[in-house]
Amino acid sequence: MAEAVAEEAKAVQGIEVEPSYYVEPETIGSFDAIIVGTPTYHHDTTVDIKRLFEEAASQNVALKGKIAAAFGSYGWSGEAPKLVLEIMKNRFEMQTSEPPLLIRYTPDQAGLEKCRDFGKRIAERLIHAT
Ligand SMILES: Cc1cc2nc3c(=O)[nH]c(=O)nc-3n(C[C@H](O)[C@H](O)[C@H](O)COP(=O)(O)O)c2cc1C
């Protein structure tokens, strides 16, 4: 999913994408937009994602006004991307792009196309915001 999101985002002129499996909290302040991919386990996001934002908050990493989006694979309830968007909106005052993109289990071709469209939409929003 992340690769498909990144693929079309970086196809937008003027956009650079840095896909990362793991990021240090202090580095996320250097991006203009943050797109988080998170699966839903036990109605929640992952410990790593929570820790990332907890540590960013404790280090006062400034994310205010930056564009935020979230996507994820899920099975039956799919809360995680919405929870992450709430953190980015309420705790960091980021401009969230709603709704999050949810794909049930593994994306098929149509699901991957939704991921590409999602990446393109966020990238275009960023271009128009700058
Ligand atoms: C232990 C476990 C707990 C899960 N809990 C949820 C859940 O609460 N809600 C949901 O929508 N899906 C749940 N799922 C399904 C996963 O979100 C789904 O399998 C998803 O595709 C996993 O993505 P990943 O392969 O990228 O980790 C759970 C799966 C497992 C194995």
Side-chain angles (χ1 to χ4, degrees):
M1 288 181 73
E3 283 171 10
V5 170
E7 186 187 314
E8 279 303 297
K10 69 183 174 207
V12 174
Q13 199 172 4
I15 294 289
E16 286 174 33
V17 181
E18 201 174 305
S20 308
Y21 185 77
Y22 177 81
V23 281
E24 295 289 346
E26 56 271 22
T27 63
I28 59 175
S30 62
F31 296 102
D32 299 315
I34 300 172
I35 307 178
V36 174
T38 169
T40 299
Y41 284 95
H42 304 296
H43 303 279
D44 209 347
T45 184
T46 64
V47 171
D48 285 346
I49 299 285
K50 285 189 191 178
R51 189 179 298 135
L52 171 66
F53 286 110
E54 285 295 328
E55 289 179 3
S58 70
Q59 293 174 25
N60 293 316
V61 175
L63 301 176
K64 186 174 178 175
K66 293 175 186 287
I67 287 174
F71 65 90
S73 172
Y74 76 107
W76 48 90
S77 56
E79 293 94 334
K82 182 98 176 113
L83 289 170
V84 173
L85 279 182
E86 279 170 17
I87 294 169
M88 294 197 282
K89 183 178 191 168
N90 299 328
R91 192 145 186 194
F92 292 94
E93 297 180 67
M94 298 179 76
Q95 295 181 56
T96 49
S97 195
E98 316 245 1
L101 174 66
L102 290 167
I103 301 282
R104 202 149 183 242
Y105 295 113
T106 305
D108 57 12
Q109 282 308 317
L112 288 174
E113 197 53 36
K114 284 184 187 169
C115 294
R116 291 189 200 97
D117 285 349
F118 185 77
K120 184 178 177 192
R121 190 155 48 79
I122 308 301
E124 285 174 345
R125 182 170 172 191
L126 177 58
I127 286 291
H128 291 128
T130 51

